[in-house]
Amino acid sequence: MSFTTVYRFQNLKGYEHVISKGNSHMAYMGFGRILLQAGEALEYTVQGEEQAIVLQQGDMICRVEYGGAAVIDGAVGRRKNVYEDLPSALYAPPGAKVQIRSEGGMEARVFTAYCQEGNAPYFCPPENVAEGEPGEYIYKRRYRHIFGQPGKHNDHITKLLIVGETVSVPGGWIGFPAHRHDYETEKECVLEEIFSFQMTSEGTGKGGVMQYGYDLAPDGQTRLWDEVNVIEENNAAIALPKGFHTTVALPGTQAYLLWGLAGETKRYQVQFDERYSWLKGCLY
């Protein structure tokens, strides 16, 4: 059995369903991708889920009708690249009619959480994204909270989804020590997570990341399973229904990680691999 699964995009025009209940072990959330060429538009009604649509490259012009009225009309997001530019994002609840069009072409990636009721639609411009730069050395990274967990930036926008981005230093770690959120304990709660990647390097413009997942026995030492996925293209997402997980960019690679979490309710408690607790001083 594979505990972590990589899903490759098929580069379908319009809305591509990438991860869902039907093709994964995920019970609370899914993932999709929107790809439009110059002058194209996409229109659909959100059903049985809420969506967080995060622009990756290009431009998107958004309109959302909800409760019989145009709540968002003409909001524009633009982004050249994910490494330097802050994102624009759109939140759409169940029952919302979404229209996205692009003048020059665009790509967006979409987190979904299964629910029948959501919050009001919202367009998040780059200036309403919270940034931070914790860590030192190869553990340094830049995070962006788009729709944060309880107590963090924009935590009130979504019903269930927690969404953000992280950018590594070349050859750096994202999320080390590894953490998990599998069990209902004092230290963690049950959350599913999906990662999606982009990567670049000064030499070739290409690169790679290693996504590492594992679990430990109750003694905190004995490994129950290990899985490593090497990703070298900007066309993948990975489902993480359980286990500890961490990411490292290959030497020379600057990695971009788009992450989303969801569970039965909106909470956030994670358990770090305590074998590396001595590193905490240089991480945060």
PDB file of all heavy atoms in Angstrom, residues 9 31 33-34 53-60 78-83 85-88 106-111 146 164-165 196-198 234 256-258:
ATOM      1  N   PHE A   9      -0.651  16.146 -13.590  1.00  0.00           N
ATOM      2  CA  PHE A   9      -1.648  16.859 -14.365  1.00  0.00           C
ATOM      3  C   PHE A   9      -1.671  16.334 -15.801  1.00  0.00           C
ATOM      4  O   PHE A   9      -0.631  15.966 -16.354  1.00  0.00           O
ATOM      5  CB  PHE A   9      -1.347  18.359 -14.400  1.00  0.00           C
ATOM      6  CG  PHE A   9      -1.154  18.985 -13.037  1.00  0.00           C
ATOM      7  CD1 PHE A   9      -0.375  20.123 -12.896  1.00  0.00           C
ATOM      8  CD2 PHE A   9      -1.745  18.445 -11.905  1.00  0.00           C
ATOM      9  CE1 PHE A   9      -0.180  20.704 -11.659  1.00  0.00           C
ATOM     10  CE2 PHE A   9      -1.565  19.027 -10.654  1.00  0.00           C
ATOM     11  CZ  PHE A   9      -0.771  20.155 -10.533  1.00  0.00           C
ATOM     12  N   PHE A  31      -8.367  18.284  -5.009  1.00  0.00           N
ATOM     13  CA  PHE A  31      -7.470  19.235  -5.662  1.00  0.00           C
ATOM     14  C   PHE A  31      -7.763  19.266  -7.146  1.00  0.00           C
ATOM     15  O   PHE A  31      -8.081  18.242  -7.753  1.00  0.00           O
ATOM     16  CB  PHE A  31      -6.012  18.805  -5.437  1.00  0.00           C
ATOM     17  CG  PHE A  31      -4.986  19.724  -6.034  1.00  0.00           C
ATOM     18  CD1 PHE A  31      -4.585  20.871  -5.358  1.00  0.00           C
ATOM     19  CD2 PHE A  31      -4.417  19.443  -7.258  1.00  0.00           C
ATOM     20  CE1 PHE A  31      -3.633  21.718  -5.905  1.00  0.00           C
ATOM     21  CE2 PHE A  31      -3.456  20.281  -7.811  1.00  0.00           C
ATOM     22  CZ  PHE A  31      -3.062  21.424  -7.131  1.00  0.00           C
ATOM     23  N   ARG A  33      -7.124  21.848 -11.058  1.00  0.00           N
ATOM     24  CA  ARG A  33      -6.290  22.808 -11.774  1.00  0.00           C
ATOM     25  C   ARG A  33      -7.120  23.492 -12.851  1.00  0.00           C
ATOM     26  O   ARG A  33      -7.932  22.838 -13.526  1.00  0.00           O
ATOM     27  CB  ARG A  33      -5.116  22.086 -12.420  1.00  0.00           C
ATOM     28  CG  ARG A  33      -4.088  22.991 -13.096  1.00  0.00           C
ATOM     29  CD  ARG A  33      -3.118  22.136 -13.873  1.00  0.00           C
ATOM     30  NE  ARG A  33      -1.936  22.856 -14.307  1.00  0.00           N
ATOM     31  CZ  ARG A  33      -1.324  22.635 -15.471  1.00  0.00           C
ATOM     32  NH1 ARG A  33      -1.820  21.725 -16.304  1.00  0.00           N
ATOM     33  NH2 ARG A  33      -0.244  23.302 -15.801  1.00  0.00           N
ATOM     34  N   ILE A  34      -6.910  24.794 -13.008  1.00  0.00           N
ATOM     35  CA  ILE A  34      -7.575  25.559 -14.055  1.00  0.00           C
ATOM     36  C   ILE A  34      -6.520  26.057 -15.028  1.00  0.00           C
ATOM     37  O   ILE A  34      -5.532  26.678 -14.620  1.00  0.00           O
ATOM     38  CB  ILE A  34      -8.366  26.745 -13.472  1.00  0.00           C
ATOM     39  CG1 ILE A  34      -9.508  26.226 -12.588  1.00  0.00           C
ATOM     40  CG2 ILE A  34      -8.922  27.625 -14.586  1.00  0.00           C
ATOM     41  CD1 ILE A  34     -10.237  27.325 -11.832  1.00  0.00           C
ATOM     42  N   ILE A  53      -9.058  28.992  -4.915  1.00  0.00           N
ATOM     43  CA  ILE A  53      -8.427  29.032  -6.234  1.00  0.00           C
ATOM     44  C   ILE A  53      -7.231  29.972  -6.147  1.00  0.00           C
ATOM     45  O   ILE A  53      -7.400  31.171  -5.913  1.00  0.00           O
ATOM     46  CB  ILE A  53      -9.425  29.514  -7.299  1.00  0.00           C
ATOM     47  CG1 ILE A  53     -10.658  28.594  -7.324  1.00  0.00           C
ATOM     48  CG2 ILE A  53      -8.769  29.596  -8.672  1.00  0.00           C
ATOM     49  CD1 ILE A  53     -11.825  29.160  -8.102  1.00  0.00           C
ATOM     50  N   VAL A  54      -6.022  29.444  -6.328  1.00  0.00           N
ATOM     51  CA  VAL A  54      -4.800  30.221  -6.151  1.00  0.00           C
ATOM     52  C   VAL A  54      -4.112  30.393  -7.500  1.00  0.00           C
ATOM     53  O   VAL A  54      -3.695  29.412  -8.130  1.00  0.00           O
ATOM     54  CB  VAL A  54      -3.841  29.541  -5.155  1.00  0.00           C
ATOM     55  CG1 VAL A  54      -2.605  30.409  -4.930  1.00  0.00           C
ATOM     56  CG2 VAL A  54      -4.549  29.272  -3.826  1.00  0.00           C
ATOM     57  N   LEU A  55      -3.983  31.642  -7.944  1.00  0.00           N
ATOM     58  CA  LEU A  55      -3.345  31.931  -9.223  1.00  0.00           C
ATOM     59  C   LEU A  55      -1.864  31.581  -9.169  1.00  0.00           C
ATOM     60  O   LEU A  55      -1.157  31.941  -8.226  1.00  0.00           O
ATOM     61  CB  LEU A  55      -3.527  33.415  -9.564  1.00  0.00           C
ATOM     62  CG  LEU A  55      -2.969  33.887 -10.906  1.00  0.00           C
ATOM     63  CD1 LEU A  55      -3.685  33.198 -12.064  1.00  0.00           C
ATOM     64  CD2 LEU A  55      -3.083  35.402 -11.032  1.00  0.00           C
ATOM     65  N   GLN A  56      -1.387  30.904 -10.210  1.00  0.00           N
ATOM     66  CA  GLN A  56       0.017  30.532 -10.313  1.00  0.00           C
ATOM     67  C   GLN A  56       0.775  31.446 -11.283  1.00  0.00           C
ATOM     68  O   GLN A  56       1.825  31.975 -10.943  1.00  0.00           O
ATOM     69  CB  GLN A  56       0.147  29.084 -10.779  1.00  0.00           C
ATOM     70  CG  GLN A  56      -0.542  28.082  -9.870  1.00  0.00           C
ATOM     71  CD  GLN A  56       0.167  27.900  -8.540  1.00  0.00           C
ATOM     72  OE1 GLN A  56       1.185  27.220  -8.441  1.00  0.00           O
ATOM     73  NE2 GLN A  56      -0.370  28.526  -7.500  1.00  0.00           N
ATOM     74  N   GLN A  57       0.262  31.586 -12.484  1.00  0.00           N
ATOM     75  CA  GLN A  57       0.846  32.475 -13.477  1.00  0.00           C
ATOM     76  C   GLN A  57      -0.255  33.052 -14.350  1.00  0.00           C
ATOM     77  O   GLN A  57      -1.308  32.431 -14.530  1.00  0.00           O
ATOM     78  CB  GLN A  57       1.843  31.730 -14.389  1.00  0.00           C
ATOM     79  CG  GLN A  57       3.173  31.395 -13.752  1.00  0.00           C
ATOM     80  CD  GLN A  57       3.213  29.985 -13.202  1.00  0.00           C
ATOM     81  OE1 GLN A  57       2.466  29.128 -13.641  1.00  0.00           O
ATOM     82  NE2 GLN A  57       4.082  29.733 -12.254  1.00  0.00           N
ATOM     83  N   GLY A  58       0.008  34.247 -14.903  1.00  0.00           N
ATOM     84  CA  GLY A  58      -0.906  34.853 -15.846  1.00  0.00           C
ATOM     85  C   GLY A  58      -1.884  35.809 -15.198  1.00  0.00           C
ATOM     86  O   GLY A  58      -1.601  36.400 -14.150  1.00  0.00           O
ATOM     87  N   ASP A  59      -3.051  35.970 -15.815  1.00  0.00           N
ATOM     88  CA  ASP A  59      -4.072  36.879 -15.287  1.00  0.00           C
ATOM     89  C   ASP A  59      -5.420  36.182 -15.226  1.00  0.00           C
ATOM     90  O   ASP A  59      -5.735  35.329 -16.056  1.00  0.00           O
ATOM     91  CB  ASP A  59      -4.178  38.133 -16.172  1.00  0.00           C
ATOM     92  CG  ASP A  59      -4.810  37.840 -17.531  1.00  0.00           C
ATOM     93  OD1 ASP A  59      -4.074  37.429 -18.452  1.00  0.00           O
ATOM     94  OD2 ASP A  59      -6.037  37.996 -17.669  1.00  0.00           O
ATOM     95  N   MET A  60      -6.205  36.525 -14.210  1.00  0.00           N
ATOM     96  CA  MET A  60      -7.566  36.012 -14.123  1.00  0.00           C
ATOM     97  C   MET A  60      -8.496  37.149 -13.698  1.00  0.00           C
ATOM     98  O   MET A  60      -8.158  37.960 -12.828  1.00  0.00           O
ATOM     99  CB  MET A  60      -7.675  34.826 -13.162  1.00  0.00           C
ATOM    100  CG  MET A  60      -7.415  35.115 -11.709  1.00  0.00           C
ATOM    101  SD  MET A  60      -7.658  33.605 -10.698  1.00  0.00           S
ATOM    102  CE  MET A  60      -7.486  34.280  -9.019  1.00  0.00           C
ATOM    103  N   ARG A  78      -3.091  39.134 -11.117  1.00  0.00           N
ATOM    104  CA  ARG A  78      -1.997  38.969 -12.076  1.00  0.00           C
ATOM    105  C   ARG A  78      -0.767  38.465 -11.341  1.00  0.00           C
ATOM    106  O   ARG A  78      -0.495  38.887 -10.221  1.00  0.00           O
ATOM    107  CB  ARG A  78      -1.682  40.287 -12.790  1.00  0.00           C
ATOM    108  CG  ARG A  78      -2.749  40.751 -13.759  1.00  0.00           C
ATOM    109  CD  ARG A  78      -2.303  41.946 -14.573  1.00  0.00           C
ATOM    110  NE  ARG A  78      -3.276  42.285 -15.612  1.00  0.00           N
ATOM    111  CZ  ARG A  78      -4.296  43.101 -15.445  1.00  0.00           C
ATOM    112  NH1 ARG A  78      -4.478  43.676 -14.257  1.00  0.00           N
ATOM    113  NH2 ARG A  78      -5.131  43.348 -16.437  1.00  0.00           N
ATOM    114  N   ARG A  79      -0.027  37.579 -12.020  1.00  0.00           N
ATOM    115  CA  ARG A  79       1.167  37.017 -11.389  1.00  0.00           C
ATOM    116  C   ARG A  79       2.147  36.543 -12.455  1.00  0.00           C
ATOM    117  O   ARG A  79       1.765  35.797 -13.350  1.00  0.00           O
ATOM    118  CB  ARG A  79       0.759  35.839 -10.492  1.00  0.00           C
ATOM    119  CG  ARG A  79       1.811  35.410  -9.487  1.00  0.00           C
ATOM    120  CD  ARG A  79       1.290  34.306  -8.603  1.00  0.00           C
ATOM    121  NE  ARG A  79       2.107  34.151  -7.408  1.00  0.00           N
ATOM    122  CZ  ARG A  79       1.935  33.198  -6.495  1.00  0.00           C
ATOM    123  NH1 ARG A  79       0.962  32.317  -6.648  1.00  0.00           N
ATOM    124  NH2 ARG A  79       2.717  33.133  -5.434  1.00  0.00           N
ATOM    125  N   LYS A  80       3.398  36.980 -12.335  1.00  0.00           N
ATOM    126  CA  LYS A  80       4.425  36.549 -13.280  1.00  0.00           C
ATOM    127  C   LYS A  80       5.024  35.202 -12.885  1.00  0.00           C
ATOM    128  O   LYS A  80       5.222  34.325 -13.718  1.00  0.00           O
ATOM    129  CB  LYS A  80       5.519  37.613 -13.382  1.00  0.00           C
ATOM    130  CG  LYS A  80       5.072  38.896 -14.051  1.00  0.00           C
ATOM    131  CD  LYS A  80       6.230  39.878 -14.163  1.00  0.00           C
ATOM    132  CE  LYS A  80       5.789  41.159 -14.849  1.00  0.00           C
ATOM    133  NZ  LYS A  80       6.914  42.137 -14.947  1.00  0.00           N
ATOM    134  N   ASN A  81       5.363  35.047 -11.599  1.00  0.00           N
ATOM    135  CA  ASN A  81       5.909  33.765 -11.135  1.00  0.00           C
ATOM    136  C   ASN A  81       5.626  33.592  -9.657  1.00  0.00           C
ATOM    137  O   ASN A  81       5.307  34.552  -8.949  1.00  0.00           O
ATOM    138  CB  ASN A  81       7.418  33.663 -11.421  1.00  0.00           C
ATOM    139  CG  ASN A  81       8.233  34.621 -10.574  1.00  0.00           C
ATOM    140  OD1 ASN A  81       8.418  34.413  -9.376  1.00  0.00           O
ATOM    141  ND2 ASN A  81       8.746  35.691 -11.186  1.00  0.00           N
ATOM    142  N   VAL A  82       5.749  32.373  -9.187  1.00  0.00           N
ATOM    143  CA  VAL A  82       5.379  32.050  -7.809  1.00  0.00           C
ATOM    144  C   VAL A  82       6.519  32.276  -6.816  1.00  0.00           C
ATOM    145  O   VAL A  82       6.296  32.248  -5.604  1.00  0.00           O
ATOM    146  CB  VAL A  82       4.902  30.589  -7.698  1.00  0.00           C
ATOM    147  CG1 VAL A  82       3.637  30.378  -8.516  1.00  0.00           C
ATOM    148  CG2 VAL A  82       6.003  29.619  -8.138  1.00  0.00           C
ATOM    149  N   TYR A  83       7.718  32.502  -7.320  1.00  0.00           N
ATOM    150  CA  TYR A  83       8.876  32.613  -6.428  1.00  0.00           C
ATOM    151  C   TYR A  83       8.989  34.009  -5.817  1.00  0.00           C
ATOM    152  O   TYR A  83       9.311  34.157  -4.638  1.00  0.00           O
ATOM    153  CB  TYR A  83      10.155  32.245  -7.189  1.00  0.00           C
ATOM    154  CG  TYR A  83      10.026  30.923  -7.896  1.00  0.00           C
ATOM    155  CD1 TYR A  83       9.816  30.860  -9.270  1.00  0.00           C
ATOM    156  CD2 TYR A  83      10.068  29.732  -7.184  1.00  0.00           C
ATOM    157  CE1 TYR A  83       9.660  29.652  -9.916  1.00  0.00           C
ATOM    158  CE2 TYR A  83       9.911  28.512  -7.828  1.00  0.00           C
ATOM    159  CZ  TYR A  83       9.706  28.482  -9.191  1.00  0.00           C
ATOM    160  OH  TYR A  83       9.541  27.274  -9.825  1.00  0.00           O
ATOM    161  N   ASP A  85       6.487  36.737  -6.669  1.00  0.00           N
ATOM    162  CA  ASP A  85       5.211  37.448  -6.624  1.00  0.00           C
ATOM    163  C   ASP A  85       4.258  36.815  -5.609  1.00  0.00           C
ATOM    164  O   ASP A  85       4.136  35.584  -5.536  1.00  0.00           O
ATOM    165  CB  ASP A  85       4.533  37.427  -7.999  1.00  0.00           C
ATOM    166  CG  ASP A  85       5.346  38.143  -9.056  1.00  0.00           C
ATOM    167  OD1 ASP A  85       6.202  38.959  -8.687  1.00  0.00           O
ATOM    168  OD2 ASP A  85       5.115  37.880 -10.248  1.00  0.00           O
ATOM    169  N   LEU A  86       3.557  37.653  -4.877  1.00  0.00           N
ATOM    170  CA  LEU A  86       2.514  37.166  -3.991  1.00  0.00           C
ATOM    171  C   LEU A  86       1.298  36.734  -4.802  1.00  0.00           C
ATOM    172  O   LEU A  86       1.051  37.242  -5.898  1.00  0.00           O
ATOM    173  CB  LEU A  86       2.118  38.258  -2.996  1.00  0.00           C
ATOM    174  CG  LEU A  86       3.184  38.660  -1.973  1.00  0.00           C
ATOM    175  CD1 LEU A  86       2.685  39.825  -1.124  1.00  0.00           C
ATOM    176  CD2 LEU A  86       3.557  37.488  -1.094  1.00  0.00           C
ATOM    177  N   PRO A  87       0.511  35.810  -4.255  1.00  0.00           N
ATOM    178  CA  PRO A  87      -0.628  35.292  -5.022  1.00  0.00           C
ATOM    179  C   PRO A  87      -1.863  36.171  -4.927  1.00  0.00           C
ATOM    180  O   PRO A  87      -2.028  36.959  -3.995  1.00  0.00           O
ATOM    181  CB  PRO A  87      -0.892  33.947  -4.346  1.00  0.00           C
ATOM    182  CG  PRO A  87      -0.514  34.191  -2.912  1.00  0.00           C
ATOM    183  CD  PRO A  87       0.688  35.102  -2.981  1.00  0.00           C
ATOM    184  N   SER A  88      -2.736  36.014  -5.910  1.00  0.00           N
ATOM    185  CA  SER A  88      -4.139  36.386  -5.799  1.00  0.00           C
ATOM    186  C   SER A  88      -4.913  35.081  -5.658  1.00  0.00           C
ATOM    187  O   SER A  88      -4.510  34.053  -6.209  1.00  0.00           O
ATOM    188  CB  SER A  88      -4.624  37.135  -7.037  1.00  0.00           C
ATOM    189  OG  SER A  88      -3.923  38.348  -7.205  1.00  0.00           O
ATOM    190  N   MET A 106      -3.688  31.798 -18.313  1.00  0.00           N
ATOM    191  CA  MET A 106      -3.444  31.651 -16.877  1.00  0.00           C
ATOM    192  C   MET A 106      -3.440  30.191 -16.448  1.00  0.00           C
ATOM    193  O   MET A 106      -3.964  29.309 -17.128  1.00  0.00           O
ATOM    194  CB  MET A 106      -4.509  32.400 -16.069  1.00  0.00           C
ATOM    195  CG  MET A 106      -5.954  32.012 -16.350  1.00  0.00           C
ATOM    196  SD  MET A 106      -6.564  30.603 -15.393  1.00  0.00           S
ATOM    197  CE  MET A 106      -6.786  31.328 -13.797  1.00  0.00           C
ATOM    198  N   GLU A 107      -2.822  29.967 -15.297  1.00  0.00           N
ATOM    199  CA  GLU A 107      -2.919  28.709 -14.577  1.00  0.00           C
ATOM    200  C   GLU A 107      -3.256  29.008 -13.134  1.00  0.00           C
ATOM    201  O   GLU A 107      -2.660  29.903 -12.514  1.00  0.00           O
ATOM    202  CB  GLU A 107      -1.613  27.911 -14.611  1.00  0.00           C
ATOM    203  CG  GLU A 107      -1.713  26.603 -13.831  1.00  0.00           C
ATOM    204  CD  GLU A 107      -0.370  25.965 -13.497  1.00  0.00           C
ATOM    205  OE1 GLU A 107       0.673  26.527 -13.895  1.00  0.00           O
ATOM    206  OE2 GLU A 107      -0.376  24.923 -12.815  1.00  0.00           O
ATOM    207  N   ALA A 108      -4.212  28.280 -12.575  1.00  0.00           N
ATOM    208  CA  ALA A 108      -4.525  28.345 -11.150  1.00  0.00           C
ATOM    209  C   ALA A 108      -4.632  26.924 -10.624  1.00  0.00           C
ATOM    210  O   ALA A 108      -4.923  25.986 -11.374  1.00  0.00           O
ATOM    211  CB  ALA A 108      -5.827  29.099 -10.899  1.00  0.00           C
ATOM    212  N   ARG A 109      -4.370  26.766  -9.344  1.00  0.00           N
ATOM    213  CA  ARG A 109      -4.512  25.468  -8.691  1.00  0.00           C
ATOM    214  C   ARG A 109      -5.549  25.609  -7.581  1.00  0.00           C
ATOM    215  O   ARG A 109      -5.623  26.651  -6.935  1.00  0.00           O
ATOM    216  CB  ARG A 109      -3.166  24.963  -8.192  1.00  0.00           C
ATOM    217  CG  ARG A 109      -2.192  24.815  -9.365  1.00  0.00           C
ATOM    218  CD  ARG A 109      -0.846  24.235  -9.028  1.00  0.00           C
ATOM    219  NE  ARG A 109       0.005  24.229 -10.229  1.00  0.00           N
ATOM    220  CZ  ARG A 109       1.232  23.737 -10.298  1.00  0.00           C
ATOM    221  NH1 ARG A 109       1.778  23.172  -9.216  1.00  0.00           N
ATOM    222  NH2 ARG A 109       1.920  23.782 -11.427  1.00  0.00           N
ATOM    223  N   VAL A 110      -6.340  24.549  -7.393  1.00  0.00           N
ATOM    224  CA  VAL A 110      -7.569  24.657  -6.618  1.00  0.00           C
ATOM    225  C   VAL A 110      -7.612  23.603  -5.518  1.00  0.00           C
ATOM    226  O   VAL A 110      -7.525  22.398  -5.804  1.00  0.00           O
ATOM    227  CB  VAL A 110      -8.811  24.483  -7.530  1.00  0.00           C
ATOM    228  CG1 VAL A 110     -10.089  24.757  -6.747  1.00  0.00           C
ATOM    229  CG2 VAL A 110      -8.712  25.383  -8.757  1.00  0.00           C
ATOM    230  N   PHE A 111      -7.772  24.042  -4.275  1.00  0.00           N
ATOM    231  CA  PHE A 111      -8.060  23.131  -3.174  1.00  0.00           C
ATOM    232  C   PHE A 111      -9.568  23.118  -2.939  1.00  0.00           C
ATOM    233  O   PHE A 111     -10.233  24.155  -2.986  1.00  0.00           O
ATOM    234  CB  PHE A 111      -7.359  23.569  -1.887  1.00  0.00           C
ATOM    235  CG  PHE A 111      -5.866  23.445  -1.943  1.00  0.00           C
ATOM    236  CD1 PHE A 111      -5.064  24.569  -2.014  1.00  0.00           C
ATOM    237  CD2 PHE A 111      -5.256  22.203  -1.919  1.00  0.00           C
ATOM    238  CE1 PHE A 111      -3.689  24.469  -2.067  1.00  0.00           C
ATOM    239  CE2 PHE A 111      -3.883  22.079  -1.980  1.00  0.00           C
ATOM    240  CZ  PHE A 111      -3.089  23.217  -2.052  1.00  0.00           C
ATOM    241  N   ILE A 146      -2.471  32.528   2.966  1.00  0.00           N
ATOM    242  CA  ILE A 146      -3.565  33.039   2.137  1.00  0.00           C
ATOM    243  C   ILE A 146      -4.858  32.966   2.934  1.00  0.00           C
ATOM    244  O   ILE A 146      -5.510  33.982   3.181  1.00  0.00           O
ATOM    245  CB  ILE A 146      -3.663  32.252   0.823  1.00  0.00           C
ATOM    246  CG1 ILE A 146      -2.315  32.297   0.069  1.00  0.00           C
ATOM    247  CG2 ILE A 146      -4.780  32.827  -0.052  1.00  0.00           C
ATOM    248  CD1 ILE A 146      -2.252  31.376  -1.130  1.00  0.00           C
ATOM    249  N   GLY A 164      -1.932  27.951   1.985  1.00  0.00           N
ATOM    250  CA  GLY A 164      -0.794  28.862   1.951  1.00  0.00           C
ATOM    251  C   GLY A 164       0.277  28.369   1.003  1.00  0.00           C
ATOM    252  O   GLY A 164       0.118  27.359   0.301  1.00  0.00           O
ATOM    253  N   GLU A 165       1.384  29.104   0.985  1.00  0.00           N
ATOM    254  CA  GLU A 165       2.522  28.788   0.119  1.00  0.00           C
ATOM    255  C   GLU A 165       3.814  28.876   0.919  1.00  0.00           C
ATOM    256  O   GLU A 165       3.894  29.619   1.902  1.00  0.00           O
ATOM    257  CB  GLU A 165       2.624  29.800  -1.028  1.00  0.00           C
ATOM    258  CG  GLU A 165       1.413  29.913  -1.904  1.00  0.00           C
ATOM    259  CD  GLU A 165       1.577  30.970  -2.990  1.00  0.00           C
ATOM    260  OE1 GLU A 165       2.395  31.914  -2.799  1.00  0.00           O
ATOM    261  OE2 GLU A 165       0.894  30.864  -4.015  1.00  0.00           O
ATOM    262  N   SER A 196       1.336  20.821  -3.757  1.00  0.00           N
ATOM    263  CA  SER A 196       1.613  20.948  -5.178  1.00  0.00           C
ATOM    264  C   SER A 196       2.874  21.783  -5.344  1.00  0.00           C
ATOM    265  O   SER A 196       3.121  22.693  -4.550  1.00  0.00           O
ATOM    266  CB  SER A 196       0.433  21.605  -5.904  1.00  0.00           C
ATOM    267  OG  SER A 196       0.658  21.632  -7.304  1.00  0.00           O
ATOM    268  N   PHE A 197       3.679  21.472  -6.366  1.00  0.00           N
ATOM    269  CA  PHE A 197       5.032  22.014  -6.450  1.00  0.00           C
ATOM    270  C   PHE A 197       5.289  22.772  -7.748  1.00  0.00           C
ATOM    271  O   PHE A 197       4.697  22.484  -8.777  1.00  0.00           O
ATOM    272  CB  PHE A 197       6.067  20.877  -6.386  1.00  0.00           C
ATOM    273  CG  PHE A 197       5.930  19.984  -5.197  1.00  0.00           C
ATOM    274  CD1 PHE A 197       5.176  18.821  -5.261  1.00  0.00           C
ATOM    275  CD2 PHE A 197       6.560  20.294  -4.002  1.00  0.00           C
ATOM    276  CE1 PHE A 197       5.053  17.987  -4.169  1.00  0.00           C
ATOM    277  CE2 PHE A 197       6.442  19.469  -2.904  1.00  0.00           C
ATOM    278  CZ  PHE A 197       5.689  18.312  -2.981  1.00  0.00           C
ATOM    279  N   GLN A 198       6.207  23.722  -7.646  1.00  0.00           N
ATOM    280  CA  GLN A 198       6.936  24.233  -8.796  1.00  0.00           C
ATOM    281  C   GLN A 198       8.390  24.351  -8.365  1.00  0.00           C
ATOM    282  O   GLN A 198       8.686  24.417  -7.163  1.00  0.00           O
ATOM    283  CB  GLN A 198       6.399  25.586  -9.274  1.00  0.00           C
ATOM    284  CG  GLN A 198       4.999  25.517  -9.866  1.00  0.00           C
ATOM    285  CD  GLN A 198       4.633  26.733 -10.663  1.00  0.00           C
ATOM    286  OE1 GLN A 198       5.392  27.169 -11.534  1.00  0.00           O
ATOM    287  NE2 GLN A 198       3.470  27.302 -10.371  1.00  0.00           N
ATOM    288  N   ASN A 234       6.885  20.673 -13.012  1.00  0.00           N
ATOM    289  CA  ASN A 234       5.892  21.528 -12.366  1.00  0.00           C
ATOM    290  C   ASN A 234       4.472  21.060 -12.678  1.00  0.00           C
ATOM    291  O   ASN A 234       3.592  21.866 -12.963  1.00  0.00           O
ATOM    292  CB  ASN A 234       6.071  22.979 -12.839  1.00  0.00           C
ATOM    293  CG  ASN A 234       7.427  23.544 -12.474  1.00  0.00           C
ATOM    294  OD1 ASN A 234       8.037  23.133 -11.497  1.00  0.00           O
ATOM    295  ND2 ASN A 234       7.901  24.495 -13.262  1.00  0.00           N
ATOM    296  N   TYR A 256       8.972  25.792  -4.751  1.00  0.00           N
ATOM    297  CA  TYR A 256       7.715  26.433  -4.357  1.00  0.00           C
ATOM    298  C   TYR A 256       6.739  25.339  -3.977  1.00  0.00           C
ATOM    299  O   TYR A 256       6.535  24.387  -4.732  1.00  0.00           O
ATOM    300  CB  TYR A 256       7.160  27.264  -5.506  1.00  0.00           C
ATOM    301  CG  TYR A 256       5.687  27.602  -5.396  1.00  0.00           C
ATOM    302  CD1 TYR A 256       5.254  28.698  -4.671  1.00  0.00           C
ATOM    303  CD2 TYR A 256       4.727  26.808  -6.041  1.00  0.00           C
ATOM    304  CE1 TYR A 256       3.896  29.007  -4.592  1.00  0.00           C
ATOM    305  CE2 TYR A 256       3.373  27.117  -5.968  1.00  0.00           C
ATOM    306  CZ  TYR A 256       2.969  28.220  -5.242  1.00  0.00           C
ATOM    307  OH  TYR A 256       1.631  28.526  -5.158  1.00  0.00           O
ATOM    308  N   LEU A 257       6.149  25.470  -2.805  1.00  0.00           N
ATOM    309  CA  LEU A 257       5.201  24.486  -2.302  1.00  0.00           C
ATOM    310  C   LEU A 257       3.875  25.178  -1.998  1.00  0.00           C
ATOM    311  O   LEU A 257       3.814  26.083  -1.164  1.00  0.00           O
ATOM    312  CB  LEU A 257       5.750  23.822  -1.040  1.00  0.00           C
ATOM    313  CG  LEU A 257       4.824  22.902  -0.251  1.00  0.00           C
ATOM    314  CD1 LEU A 257       4.345  21.748  -1.120  1.00  0.00           C
ATOM    315  CD2 LEU A 257       5.531  22.372   0.994  1.00  0.00           C
ATOM    316  N   LEU A 258       2.829  24.767  -2.691  1.00  0.00           N
ATOM    317  CA  LEU A 258       1.463  25.219  -2.422  1.00  0.00           C
ATOM    318  C   LEU A 258       0.795  24.157  -1.575  1.00  0.00           C
ATOM    319  O   LEU A 258       0.757  22.990  -1.963  1.00  0.00           O
ATOM    320  CB  LEU A 258       0.714  25.412  -3.743  1.00  0.00           C
ATOM    321  CG  LEU A 258      -0.771  25.784  -3.653  1.00  0.00           C
ATOM    322  CD1 LEU A 258      -0.949  27.170  -3.035  1.00  0.00           C
ATOM    323  CD2 LEU A 258      -1.411  25.722  -5.035  1.00  0.00           C
TER     324      LEU A 258
END
